[in-house]
Amino acid sequence: MRTKDPKRVAVITSQQSVNLFAEHGSIMATVLDFLKTIPKAELHVHLEGSYTPDVDDAELAAKWDCYDFPSFLESFKWTVSFLKKPEDYGRAAKQLIGSLRRQGVTYAEITLSAGVVKWKRLDLEAVYAAVN
């Protein structure tokens, strides 16, 4: 929303929406281009949850369509089901690091869920070695 009086501030209510690209397309494009160039940090990412299984896009979209916390947990369990051996965890780590690099992330705190590894009855030391 724009005001003609420079001393007043436009207010947007929850019933209104603003398309910043429509109003300020060239400025927003410049901002987005700038954001692509700066280093970023990922402060909390779970290795298991970041994995993208090798399935068709329709199945992936259906399984990752989360609408509440229980559906998120089901999606997470489905994704984790593809990590069956330490080598799978190594592949997930490479996939995640590649994705982070493409996004310009220069610092990441990646969590390996030891409880999930143990729940799957995998050797935690072998999984840890595979992701290093």
Side-chain angles (χ1 to χ4, degrees):
M1 177 174 283
R2 189 179 286 170
T3 179
K4 296 194 188 281
D5 183 350
K7 294 180 181 174
R8 298 184 64 123
V9 176
V11 175
I12 300 169
T13 69
S14 61
Q15 279 71 40
Q16 297 170 316
S17 65
V18 172
N19 182 338
L20 291 176
F21 276 100
E23 292 287 324
H24 308 287
S26 63
I27 293 171
M28 289 304 295
T30 302
V31 169
L32 291 176
D33 288 341
F34 168 71
L35 290 175
K36 291 175 186 174
T37 68
I38 62 173
K40 295 163 196 70
E42 176 65 70
L43 299 179
H44 187 98
V45 61
H46 290 260
L47 175 63
E48 296 87 350
S50 72
Y51 182 62
T52 303
D54 187 19
V55 297
D56 66 73
D57 290 344
E59 182 179 7
L60 194 61
K63 293 293 186 177
W64 282 2
D65 183 23
C66 302
Y67 47 87
D68 59 11
F69 191 65
S71 68
F72 163 76
L73 291 176
E74 288 303 314
S75 174
F76 182 81
K77 285 184 348 188
W78 176 79
T79 302
V80 169
S81 74
F82 290 88
L83 303 173
K84 297 178 179 174
K85 53 189 185 244
E87 296 81 20
D88 297 334
Y89 278 82
R91 191 168 47 260
K94 287 179 185 171
Q95 185 185 79
L96 174 58
I97 290 168
S99 174
L100 293 173
R101 280 190 180 137
R102 286 188 298 281
Q103 297 173 63
V105 174
T106 58
Y107 175 84
E109 294 178 3
I110 302 170
T111 301
L112 172 63
S113 301
V116 172
V117 173
K118 288 297 191 181
W119 171 69
K120 295 171 77 57
R121 301 186 192 281
L122 296 173
D123 179 356
L124 182 57
E125 287 183 25
V127 168
Y128 185 77
V131 301
N132 271 333

